[in-house]
Amino acid sequence: MKAIQFTQTGGPDVLTLTDLPTPSPKSGEVLVRLAAIGINYIDTYHRTGLYSVPLPYIPGSEGAGVIEQVGEGVTGLSVGQRVAYAMQPGSYAEYVSISADKVVPVPDGMTDQQAAAVMLQGMTAHYLAFSTYPIRPGDTVLIHAGAGGVGLLLTQIARMRGARVITTVSTDEKAQLSRENGADEVILYTQTDFAEEVKKLTGGQGVNVVYDSVGKSTFEGSLDCLKPVGMMVSFGNASGAVPPFAPALLAAKGSLMFTRPSLAHYILTRSALLERAGALFNWVASGQLRLEIQQPYALADAAQAHRDLESRKTTGKLLLIP
Ligand code: NDP
């Protein structure tokens, strides 16, 4: 099968199109012929070595396709069934063999591209808004990188929960897209001091929660945006990892709460996975959740997709088509 692999960590050029043996499903696994592969920012952390992975490595954590073979002991899934998954390695390929309890059936009426687009970023937005900080009606929330994959979905879900949503983005075009997806206020954080702007927009009060996936460059400012006892959710590092800090900083900034969550721990059980994916599929089907899927890249163009993502050129969801 064709797959993208890297044998050493580094820039996008380490992503190499390779011929590899098609995997065979082990006991408890299903072999999926991929129709659409989701690109996520975490794929760049694996490639650069920010998050360490065993080498050689096939990147990619998300996809949708058709079950081609069923391993020993698998029940409830059959050959020909359409499925999707997230947070499983080896996705930049024509085939992936994964644990049967990590896949979810894709409903009729949902395309493979939609399924691959909504799983990882959608379930992330879901757990952030429902579980990490359960948003209440009337809350004001700040979402950084509001026009990105997670950002657009989290904005819509935060609005469904009844929040007033403030986002940050780097360009006017991204600001417009963020507004179209429900942001009440958008701040160009590359041009203005976003913490000052948030204070102005909230009459000096601050926000209940900051969802910060940008990391290093926004961390301190994000703490300054919070109300006393507000929650700082640091869930990504697009600008670099947040450096170590003293817990006393949280007291000085208003007895803040701080968490550094990962989707992996919010879909640990099969029921959590089915509940979060099911909610997203229903919202997409009913038109309550809009997906912004960009022109897909060919599998062979994975390196270009990474370049575009890391240079902040992209909005919404990026896909690879094998
Ligand atoms: P995005 O589509 O949001 O792309 C990243 C965005 O970050 C860019 O478009 C850019 O938006 C912004 N950004 C700010 N500073 C930089 C920088 N220096 N370099 C590059 N981009 C920058 O990606 P995803 O939706 O895939 O992921 C968003 C974030 O969420 C990532 O940090 C990812 O790791 C994290 N994440 C965390 C999960 C978890 O469970 N912890 C799960 C899923 C995602 P702009 O141009 O507007 O600034």
Side-chain angles (χ1 to χ4, degrees):
M1 68 170 184
K2 297 266 184 251
I4 297 287
Q5 196 182 46
F6 58 87
T7 52
Q8 59 183 55
T9 55
D13 291 342
V14 301
L15 299 176
T16 310
L17 187 68
T18 321
D19 275 307
L20 293 172
T22 301
S24 298
K26 297 193 195 92
S27 173
E29 290 186 345
V30 289
L31 179 70
V32 180
R33 178 162 45 81
L34 288 161
I37 300 157
I39 299 178
N40 292 283
Y41 217 90
I42 193 172
D43 305 346
T44 71
Y45 306 148
H46 293 146
R47 195 205 70 224
T48 62
L50 180 65
Y51 295 174
S52 84
V53 290
L55 299 176
Y57 191 72
I58 301 175
S61 314
E62 175 180 43
V66 176
I67 295 182
E68 185 118 329
Q69 279 181 49
V70 172
E72 211 183 286
V74 173
T75 53
L77 290 170
S78 50
V79 171
Q81 196 172 353
R82 293 168 64 235
V83 292
Y85 64 89
M87 298 300 270
Q88 298 300 307
S91 301
Y92 287 11
E94 290 178 307
Y95 294 89
V96 66
S97 189
I98 46 177
S99 180
D101 62 6
K102 301 295 182 197
V103 304
V104 295
V106 175
D108 292 342
M110 173 169 272
T111 67
D112 296 324
Q113 293 199 9
Q114 287 175 317
V118 80
M119 288 293 290
L120 199 151
Q121 293 168 346
M123 291 197 294
T124 299
H126 188 280
Y127 87 74
L128 291 172
F130 280 80
S131 305
T132 306
Y133 176 89
I135 297 173
R136 291 163 306 218
D139 281 349
T140 303
V141 311
L142 174 63
I143 299 169
H144 286 303
V150 175
L152 289 173
L153 298 170
L154 183 53
T155 299
Q156 295 177 72
I157 294 173
R159 284 292 302 267
M160 283 184 213
R161 305 268 301 165
R164 175 185 183 211
V165 179
I166 304 174
T167 64
T168 60
V169 298
S170 64
T171 66
D172 288 325
E173 293 73 27
K174 289 187 176 190
Q176 190 181 333
L177 184 65
S178 178
R179 278 198 192 90
E180 284 166 14
N181 280 267
D184 296 287
E185 316 280 355
V186 185
I187 301 168
L188 289 175
Y189 60 173
T190 40
Q191 293 174 25
T192 53
D193 179 329
F194 71 84
E196 272 177 24
E197 213 45 47
V198 165
K199 280 286 159 70
K200 270 189 226 159
L201 290 169
T202 57
Q205 296 279 299
V207 299
N208 300 86
V209 58
V210 180
Y211 295 109
D212 187 338
S213 64
V214 172
K216 193 176 178 182
S217 68
T218 47
F219 175 70
E220 288 250 4
S222 293
L223 297 183
D224 290 332
C225 291
L226 284 159
K227 282 183 180 173
V229 204
M231 184 177 278
M232 168 68 173
V233 182
S234 173
F235 72 100
N237 345 262
S239 68
V242 175
F245 66 93
L249 182 65
L250 300 175
K253 301 275 186 189
S255 299
L256 304 179
M257 290 179 278
F258 177 85
T259 183
R260 189 9 182 134
S262 164
L263 171 60
H265 306 118
Y266 287 86
I267 48 170
L268 274 179
T269 63
R270 178 106 187 120
S271 63
L273 172 68
L274 291 174
E275 186 199 324
R276 295 193 198 283
L280 293 157
F281 290 167
N282 286 338
W283 288 331
V284 172
S286 66
Q288 274 176 283
L289 189 69
R290 171 171 148 179
L291 302 179
E292 292 284 346
I293 303 175
Q294 304 310 309
Q295 177 66 36
Y297 296 79
L299 179 62
D301 295 332
Q304 188 56 45
H306 277 214
R307 275 184 216 107
D308 292 346
L309 184 60
E310 289 174 294
S311 59
R312 304 169 79 162
K313 279 191 192 143
T314 66
T315 54
K317 186 66 190 179
L318 309 188
L319 296 173
L320 291 174
I321 304 298

